[in-house]
Amino acid sequence: MRFRINGQQKLTGTIRVSGAKNSILPIIAATILSNEVCVIDNVPRISDVDTMLEILRSVGGSVAWTGGHQLTISNKNLEPQPLDMKLVKRLRASVLFLGPFLARFQSFRLPEPGGCIIGNRPLDSHLEGLSALGCRWERTPESYEVSHKGLRGTDVVLREASVTATENIIMAACAARGTTRIINAASEPHVQDLIDFLTNMGADISGGSTSTVTIKGSDSFGGARHTVIPDPIDAGTYIILALASKSKITVTDIRLDHLEVVLETLRSMGAEFDRDERSIMINQTGTLKAAKIETRIYPGIPTDLQPLFGVLATQAHGTSLIHETLFESRLGYLSELEKMGASVLISDAHRAYVTGPTPLNGRAIVCRDLRAGASLVVAALIASGETTIENAQILDRGYEKIDEHLSEIGASITREE
Ligand code: EPU
């Protein structure tokens, strides 16, 4: 699929942010802990959710859309069978089945997960954490075989504050005998959202949103009702679009407290906006200044917004340093921006300098991962002339109907199969 975008149209209006992708994916996996019905609201209609649900259905989960953004899931008839390799290869988040399956059954085979190619993305923290809880694991050429004879709570020290490793260990520890403490746990808002969902199921978890999470194990979990938090990356994407295109846009239904460092960095670049409790109104008239953009774990600038800051830097005066500290293959989108006229110097796998402001020109470009794709869409919307973005179906993995949202505020964007 390709997007064809005619840039420099006047954009104005309101965009509503979807439920958070990186919340709903672990929450779908967490439903496995219970035999009872779970109802989840504010679920984004994105293809990663469809794939997680397809995997769950393939092992006996009963899943229904019971509203536009509401899912009802029952895992009463779940079977401990291996997951479908093709489905697991479609998304990295399939790794999140590891913790809940081991909480419910004594063995589990996880095919090597696929997903966006943004770096090495090892699973060592997941496996070391599960080993501490009493699991044995073996790597075969195409999968990980993990088993245990009863999970036991203990201290787990993560060398990296990995988001999905923290989530997997929390979900496994919920069913372990005794207490688990995760030291150097990830504290991203979506980890807290998962903890809130598990708490609704009856889990006893404290220390969420901090770097030490404590889980008291239990042997039964009920059904739960939960509303997914708004997606901070969706919000950040549209805020940066408004700034880069100097448009009057309101981004609504968001949690600004999840974006404080992002907003402060944007403010230091000269961004003009007003905010109230659930919305941000952007109306950029002045010039933007270059900045140092260094990605960090929460509450720092999220790596998932780094490519968006990269495109914003092409419109800011001066030289911005883009320092991607988490992943080693997340600067590739800059070569596409260069084709459009950006002034870019990639210094190594983690660092690049972007000098602006430079006008961007429409070109044929290729999207290689989800967030890179979002930055290219923003670039195309501010560029003169026509841009085609190949491989644009990747955007459907994490952005709900991005082309429709953008058309509603005046963008000229068409989807070509
Ligand atoms: N790491 C290890 N060992 C591990 C796991 C991770 O060394 O076992 C390292 C990674 O190499 C990386 C760092 O830890 O340098 C952080 O990676 P993390 O494990 O936190 O990433 P993830 O859990 O695989 C989630 C999101 C990503 C997001 C990252 C960082 C989900 C489903 N995915 O991935 O989201 O970039 O956290 O915040 O939650 C996206 O939405 O586009 C996306 C890629």
Side-chain angles (χ1 to χ4, degrees), residues 175-377:
R177 222 175 328 119
T179 299
T180 301
R181 252 186 350 146
I182 308 176
I183 294 145
N184 196 22
S187 61
E188 270 66 8
H190 32 279
V191 179
Q192 180 59 47
D193 207 22
L194 169 68
I195 291 175
D196 289 343
F197 177 70
L198 291 165
T199 306
N200 291 345
M201 293 174 95
D204 182 345
I205 306 172
S206 55
S209 302
T210 76
S211 58
T212 303
V213 175
T214 304
I215 307 111
K216 289 193 180 139
S218 162
D219 48 16
S220 90
F221 299 92
R225 178 111 203 204
H226 183 78
T227 301
V228 173
I229 57 165
D231 196 317
I233 308 303
D234 212 31
T237 300
Y238 293 124
I239 292 168
I240 288 180
L241 165 64
L243 293 170
S245 61
K246 293 205 166 175
S247 306
K248 195 170 174 186
I249 291 176
T250 297
V251 185
T252 190
D253 286 7
I254 63 184
R255 287 274 305 263
L256 289 162
D257 55 323
H258 292 160
L259 282 164
E260 293 297 2
V261 176
V262 169
L263 295 177
E264 197 45 43
T265 306
L266 291 171
R267 202 192 315 274
S268 77
M269 295 176 76
E272 296 160 86
F273 52 80
D274 286 319
R275 53 193 274 184
D276 62 26
E277 212 181 313
R278 291 186 61 78
S279 308
I280 180 162
M281 289 70 74
I282 300 108
N283 189 7
Q284 186 68 23
T285 50
T287 52
L288 292 166
K289 294 195 295 277
K292 179 173 155 200
I293 307 301
E294 207 167 56
T295 63
R296 291 280 169 214
I297 56 174
Y298 188 76
I301 295 177
T303 167
D304 293 343
L305 282 179
Q306 178 267 110
L308 280 306
F309 272 100
V311 68
L312 189 62
T314 68
Q315 303 308 302
H317 286 255
T319 297
S320 295
L321 166 66
I322 309 288
H323 186 181
E324 168 57 61
T325 65
L326 275 88
F327 294 110
E328 46 290 285
S329 304
R330 225 174 186 181
L331 298 178
Y333 72 95
L334 289 170
S335 310
E336 300 302 291
L337 292 185
E338 224 175 351
K339 288 184 200 161
M340 299 175 79
S343 165
V344 173
L345 178 74
I346 297 183
S347 113
D348 62 56
H350 290 277
R351 258 174 294 244
Y353 296 91
V354 178
T355 302
T358 47
L360 300 179
N361 310 303
R363 286 281 178 276
I365 50 177
V366 185
C367 151
R368 299 192 197 281
D369 70 74
L370 174 60
R371 309 303 175 184
S375 80
L376 298 183
V377 167

Side-chain angles (χ1 to χ4, degrees), residues 33-45:
L33 264 72
S34 174
N35 275 322
E36 292 173 31
V37 174
C38 296
V39 180
I40 310 152
D41 288 297
N42 201 28
V43 180
R45 301 301 295 254

Side-chain angles (χ1 to χ4, degrees), residues 21-22 121-125 160 162-164 304 326 371:
K21 167 177 92 73
N22 291 340
R121 311 192 84 180
L123 291 184
D124 50 343
S125 302
E160 292 272 353
S162 160
V163 169
T164 47
D304 293 343
L326 275 88
R371 309 303 175 184

